[in-house]
């Protein structure tokens, strides 16, 4: 699907930075709200990556991934030194510090999907290079990939006039996928594509919508200084008839219903296995609180995005109902996009976020997010009755080790150290039988980097919390990788997170979507590693792992014999 916020975060630093190897150390947190009980969210490899605003910090085991990402974007790679491809499996497996592989034979089957390129369908809704795509899909099918994921862009399909839909390019694509006996995950992409590092296409919102925005910019999310964000529509117009006589949720529903009618045969034949419903920027359920368009840089806390007239009207109504009309305002001491929590009066320890007013505001702000998801997913269930639906959640892991969790608060996740902000979202998804797609599952707790030790990020703590919030209400959890991944160590990390070791309830991911189909993936060595990864995610035996396991057993038996003698 479209570039996620986490992929964007990890794309911010240029690749001409130096690579430094440091020991991996466990991070502790006195502010995390839950005991750090391991559920198996650990990797068998020593790979930590901190993607920051002025350079990359990567352990040596990750260099091949960073080098491949640079190649993906057409950047110079002469200065990058990937891990040597010629290292044989024997050598790798016999080096515990580099790779201790777990045998996933007979573990639960996790379906594998592969994201298609962002520009596979043109702005004229024509399939780009169908012959080349068929060849690549046949190769994916040859290694038993279950299916592919495709964005159905609102800005392409309903580009020129309200309720005038053009699905032609997607129909041809779906026919190809069906002929190859693959499955489809389809994303209802109601956001703009482009403007982020790594985006190779630009797909704006429909032209007729942006024309409305020129005369009524309050249809967009707005920060305290009045800067608009055209990535998606403000949730303040969910029930406002400002889109040529329709509300925003009516527009979304009409689009989804048109898709369901157009592709009825693909639903009936079970070719379409899941619909992921876009609920915000990058298709994620969150406010656009951190964006490069407004000069945000990691690890800035971001800004609240509630200053369009429609959301301010909602806030005023909530303040009146509470009996405190003076609370009908956003915080005036919450800093700016690139502030740190301790620099602000609102997010610092003991700050206003924990005051009566702060709790009121954050309750309202986060409830608007939950209510938006509730409204849209209710209509999605009407449109796609009988088909699995899903929602994507952003993994905002920086400042997680502080009391306020400032970056999560500005994004709409009311998750300070003394409150579980993800349980209400999980409950809302449960209400609609929707799955959670979480983007942060592959990441480990970041090393304390010399440039940004104050970021206090903890993706593993966040993963522990969010996955348990979802599993506690018994909804499926899927994931995708945040960075292009081609090496064995990266795949092992994903595997460990997909199938937690020794989980007493046998919980595991319901599906994994690989980001993304590219010429680099199709290079022979990379594709061999990918095929091996697919087999292990499917719970199949891998010959080289079995061979090395037999060698290890033989060696251990030899040692036992010597001891016995």
């Amino acid at each position: 699907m479209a570039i996620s916020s986490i992929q964007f975060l990890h794309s911010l630093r240029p690749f001409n930075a130096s690579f430094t190897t440091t020991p991996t150390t466990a991070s502790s947190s006195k502010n995390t709200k839950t005991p750090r009980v391991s559920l198996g969210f650990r990797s068998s490899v020593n790979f930590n990556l901190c993607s920051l605003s002025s350079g990359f910090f990567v352990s040596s085991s990750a260099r091949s991934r960073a080098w491949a990402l640079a190649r993906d974007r057409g950047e110079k790679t002469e200065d990058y030194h990937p891990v040597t491809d010629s290292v044989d499996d024997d050598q790798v497996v016999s080096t515990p510090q580099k790779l201790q592989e777990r045998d996933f034979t007979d573990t639960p089957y996790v379906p594998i999907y592969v994201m298609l390129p962002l520009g596979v369908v043109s702005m004229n809704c024509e399939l780009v290079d169908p012959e080349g795509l068929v060849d690549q899909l046949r190769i994916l099918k040859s290694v038993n990939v279950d299916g592919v994921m495709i964005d159905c862009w609102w800005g392409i399909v309903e580009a020129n006039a309200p309720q005038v839909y053009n699905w032609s390019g997607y129909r041809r694509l779906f026919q190809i996928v069906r002929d190859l006996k693959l499955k489809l995950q389809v994303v209802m992409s109601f956001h703009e594509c482009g403007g982020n590092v790594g985006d190779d296409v630009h797909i704006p919102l429909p032209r007729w919508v942006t024309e409305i925005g020129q005369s009524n910019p309050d249809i967009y999310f707005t920060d305290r200084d009045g800067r608009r964000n055209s990535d998606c529509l403000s949730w303040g117009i969910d029930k406002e008839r400002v889109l040529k006589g329709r509300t925003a949720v009516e527009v979304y529903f009409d689009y989804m219903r048109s898709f369901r009618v157009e592709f009825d045969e693909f639903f009936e034949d079970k070719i379409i296995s899941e619909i992921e419903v876009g609920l915000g920027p990058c298709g994620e359920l969150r406010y656009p609180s951190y964006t490069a368009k407004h000069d945000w840089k990691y690890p800035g806390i971001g800004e609240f995005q509630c200053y369009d007239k429609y959301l301010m009207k909602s806030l005023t109504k909530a303040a009146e109902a509470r009996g405190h009309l003076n609370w009908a305002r956003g915080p005036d001491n919450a800093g700016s996009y690139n502030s740190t929590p301790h620099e602000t009066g609102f997010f610092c320890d003991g700050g206003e976020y924990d005051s009566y007013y702060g709790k009121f505001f954050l309750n309202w702000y986060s409830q608007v997010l939950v209510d938006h998801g509730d409204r849209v997913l209710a209509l999605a269930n009407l449109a796609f009755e009988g088909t699995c639906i899903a929602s994507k959640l952003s993994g905002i892991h920086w400042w997680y080790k502080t009391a306020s969790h400032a970056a999560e608060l500005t994004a709409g996740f009311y998750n300070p150290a003394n409150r579980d902000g993800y349980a209400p979202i999980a409950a809302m998804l449960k209400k609609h039988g929707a799955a959670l797609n979480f983007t942060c599952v592959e990441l480990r707790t970041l090393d304390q980097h010399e440039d940004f030790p104050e970021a206090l990020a903890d993706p593993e703590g966040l993963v522990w919390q969010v996955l348990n919030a979802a599993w506690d209400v018994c909804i499926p959890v899927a994931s995708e990788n945040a960075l292009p991944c081609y090496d064995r160590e990266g795949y092992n990390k994903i595997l460990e997170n997909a199938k937690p070791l020794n989980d007493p309830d046998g919980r595991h991911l319901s599906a994994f979507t690989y980001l993304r189909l590219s010429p680099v993936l199709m290079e022979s060595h990379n594709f061999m590693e990918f095929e091996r990864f697919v087999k292990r995610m499917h719970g199949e035996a891998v010959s080289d792992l079995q061979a090395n396991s037999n060698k290890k057993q033989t060696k251990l038996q030899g040692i036992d014999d010597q001891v016995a003698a």
Side-chain angles (χ1 to χ4, degrees):
M1 65 177 299
I3 299 295
S4 75
S5 62
I6 297 301
Q7 182 185 358
F8 170 53
L9 164 64
H10 286 281
S11 303
L12 292 177
R13 270 183 111 166
F15 282 85
N16 59 355
S18 61
F19 291 134
T20 307
T21 304
T22 67
T24 302
T25 57
S27 301
S28 62
S29 171
K30 65 181 180 181
N31 292 318
T32 48
K33 59 183 65 58
T34 50
R36 296 306 305 277
V37 178
S38 172
L39 288 179
F41 298 107
R42 60 187 184 276
S43 171
S44 59
V45 299
N46 178 19
F47 169 69
N48 287 277
L49 181 148
C50 185
S51 170
L52 306 168
S53 64
S54 61
F56 260 97
F57 169 71
V58 197
S59 69
S60 59
S61 62
R63 291 177 183 170
S64 63
R65 297 183 72 190
W67 180 76
L69 179 58
R71 289 201 305 173
D72 259 358
R73 296 182 180 144
E75 299 174 10
K76 285 184 63 177
T77 56
E78 290 86 351
D79 295 334
Y80 308 109
H81 306 286
V83 176
T84 304
D85 289 347
S86 61
V87 176
D88 60 34
D89 293 337
D90 246 8
Q91 182 179 354
V92 173
V93 175
S94 64
T95 308
Q97 290 183 341
K98 289 191 175 182
L99 187 62
Q100 297 176 357
E101 291 197 286
R102 176 177 148 202
D103 188 356
F104 288 91
T105 305
D106 296 326
T107 56
Y109 184 102
V110 176
I112 300 292
Y113 290 78
V114 176
M115 295 184 198
L116 295 184
L118 291 171
V120 69
V121 173
S122 72
M123 285 300 298
N124 295 323
C125 206
E126 297 174 349
L127 186 58
V128 178
D129 188 20
E131 293 80 12
L133 180 63
V134 168
D135 291 341
Q136 291 180 318
L137 292 181
R138 282 176 176 159
I139 296 172
L140 292 179
K141 178 65 177 179
S142 73
V143 298
N144 295 319
V145 163
D146 296 88
V148 294
M149 175 182 273
I150 179 66
D151 289 90
C152 280
W153 294 100
W154 182 31
I156 291 177
V157 175
E158 197 180 357
N160 298 316
Q163 295 181 281
V164 178
Y165 306 104
N166 177 8
W167 299 104
S168 58
Y170 291 106
R171 172 164 286 279
R172 187 174 183 191
L173 171 62
F174 290 6
Q175 289 169 342
I176 290 172
V177 172
R178 177 177 58 189
D179 291 345
L180 292 172
K181 302 187 185 309
L182 291 166
K183 299 290 187 181
L184 274 165
Q185 291 177 327
V186 183
V187 186
M188 301 286 102
S189 296
F190 297 113
H191 60 284
E192 178 183 85
C193 176
N196 288 341
V197 177
D199 286 352
D200 53 6
V201 297
H202 179 232
I203 304 171
L205 299 184
R207 186 178 300 110
W208 62 272
V209 172
T210 59
E211 289 173 354
I212 294 172
Q214 291 173 5
S215 58
N216 182 12
D218 285 288
I219 68 172
Y220 301 127
F221 284 107
T222 307
D223 66 19
R224 185 174 183 84
D225 292 330
R227 288 170 290 193
R228 314 289 184 172
N229 189 312
S230 61
D231 285 354
C232 60
L233 298 179
S234 167
W235 305 329
I237 64 168
D238 275 1
K239 297 188 287 186
E240 300 285 343
R241 297 191 177 278
V242 295
L243 300 176
K244 303 288 187 181
R246 291 186 293 166
T247 67
V249 293
E250 288 173 341
V251 169
Y252 304 145
F253 176 68
D254 289 343
Y255 182 88
M256 292 187 288
R257 181 174 56 183
S258 173
F259 178 88
R260 179 60 181 82
V261 171
E262 177 71 23
F263 297 107
D264 178 69
E265 62 196 276
F266 296 91
F267 284 94
E268 295 301 318
D269 295 340
K270 306 298 182 183
I271 303 301
I272 296 175
S273 60
E274 181 182 88
I275 299 292
E276 184 174 296
V277 184
L279 296 174
C282 297
E284 299 168 337
L285 179 59
R286 65 175 176 87
Y287 289 88
S289 55
Y290 54 99
T291 172
K293 294 178 181 178
H294 295 157
D295 299 321
W296 172 85
K297 294 180 178 62
Y298 181 86
I301 59 176
E303 289 194 22
F304 292 112
Q305 304 290 315
C306 59
Y307 294 93
D308 64 82
K309 66 182 181 183
Y310 302 105
L311 285 180
M312 290 305 295
K313 177 182 176 182
S314 170
L315 178 58
T316 299
K317 184 177 179 180
E320 288 176 340
R322 182 67 181 271
H324 296 282
L325 190 56
N326 62 317
W327 286 356
R329 58 178 176 83
D332 56 8
N333 57 351
S336 59
Y337 288 100
N338 294 312
S339 295
T340 60
H342 64 269
E343 294 173 340
T344 74
F346 193 81
F347 297 114
C348 66
D349 288 351
E352 196 177 11
Y353 81 92
D354 206 27
S355 67
Y356 287 112
Y357 159 72
K359 292 176 180 178
F360 159 79
F361 173 79
L362 293 170
N363 265 307
W364 167 81
Y365 190 74
S366 61
Q367 191 61 47
V368 169
L369 176 146
V370 173
D371 289 345
H372 170 71
D374 185 39
R375 282 190 289 267
V376 179
L377 291 180
L379 294 177
N381 265 329
L382 287 176
F384 303 120
E385 185 178 3
T387 301
C388 295
I389 61 173
S391 173
K392 186 175 179 181
L393 201 64
S394 178
I396 300 178
H397 48 74
W398 53 106
W399 304 116
Y400 188 85
K401 289 186 177 182
T402 63
S404 64
H405 291 224
E408 291 167 88
L409 297 187
T410 59
F413 306 134
Y414 189 9
N415 191 53
N418 58 355
R419 185 182 190 276
D420 185 354
Y422 297 100
I425 297 172
M428 181 270 292
L429 295 176
K430 172 69 172 181
K431 173 183 175 182
H432 300 292
L436 170 65
N437 184 9
F438 195 51
T439 63
C440 194
V441 177
E442 73 166 83
L443 300 178
R444 288 178 60 88
T445 297
L446 303 178
D447 288 316
Q448 294 300 304
H449 183 255
E450 58 185 3
D451 288 343
F452 294 101
E454 75 278 13
L456 297 177
D458 187 6
E460 290 181 272
L462 179 61
V463 165
W464 191 94
Q465 181 185 359
V466 175
L467 267 65
N468 277 276
W471 282 331
D472 282 349
V473 296
C474 300
I475 61 174
V477 182
S479 74
E480 58 193 49
N481 53 304
L483 285 169
C485 177
Y486 308 110
D487 63 272
R488 186 169 300 184
E489 295 183 0
Y491 288 135
N492 284 342
K493 172 186 285 188
I494 295 170
L495 280 155
E496 292 290 351
N497 289 326
K499 305 177 184 185
L501 183 64
N502 297 328
D503 186 281
D505 300 307
R507 299 176 297 189
H508 56 86
L509 296 181
S510 60
F512 180 82
T513 304
Y514 177 84
L515 181 152
R516 91 178 51 242
L517 180 61
S518 70
V520 179
L521 174 63
M522 290 298 171
E523 292 178 8
S524 58
H525 177 77
N526 291 336
F527 198 73
M528 287 174 62
E529 286 294 337
F530 178 72
E531 178 182 9
R532 187 177 186 273
F533 167 68
V534 172
K535 287 182 178 179
R536 301 179 79 197
M537 288 290 273
H538 285 171
E540 299 174 17
V542 178
S543 58
D544 60 341
L545 185 62
Q546 187 63 42
N548 282 302
S549 176
N550 292 338
K551 290 178 184 178
K552 182 178 179 181
Q553 291 299 321
T554 301
K555 182 177 180 181
L556 291 174
Q557 184 61 51
I559 294 173
D560 290 341
D561 292 344
Q562 290 177 23
V563 171

